[in-house]
Amino acid sequence: MNLSKEIECTVDLTITDAVESDVRDLIHSAAAEHQVDVKYLPINNYRITVTFGDDLGGAQALVSRADRLADDDSD
C-alpha cells in the first residue's frame, strides 16, 4: 500500500481588548516553530494567523492557550 498525505492547517485568531503581554506570549509560543503573521488593529485588537502545516497538535495547543487567556480575562 502507498499513502500520500497533505495537510495544511492554519489558525486565524481575532483578539479584541487584549493585554499586550498576553498576545506577545501567544505569538512567541507559536513563532518558535511556525510561520506567524500579526496584524495590529486599533485599540488593543489583533489578528493573528499561524500556519502549522501538518502540526495539528500545535494548532490545537495554540487555540487552547487563547481560550484559557480569554477565560482568565473574563473572570
Side-chain angles (χ1 to χ4, degrees):
M1 179 171 97
N2 294 318
L3 174 66
S4 177
K5 71 172 185 162
E6 188 171 324
I7 298 171
E8 189 61 35
C9 180
T10 301
V11 174
D12 290 314
L13 299 173
T14 300
I15 303 171
T16 58
D17 298 324
V19 175
E20 184 177 345
S21 61
D22 290 343
V23 174
R24 190 174 46 243
D25 290 344
L26 277 176
I27 293 167
H28 180 72
S29 68
E33 298 180 17
H34 306 288
Q35 178 183 340
V36 177
D37 179 46
V38 179
K39 293 186 177 154
Y40 298 93
L41 306 171
I43 313 170
N44 294 331
N45 297 324
Y46 303 84
R47 172 82 176 185
I48 301 171
T49 301
V50 184
T51 302
F52 285 92
D54 65 354
D55 181 9
L56 300 178
Q60 185 176 14
L62 177 69
V63 172
S64 293
R65 281 193 295 275
D67 283 340
R68 281 194 305 274
L69 286 173
D71 288 344
D72 289 348
D73 193 45
S74 67
D75 292 341

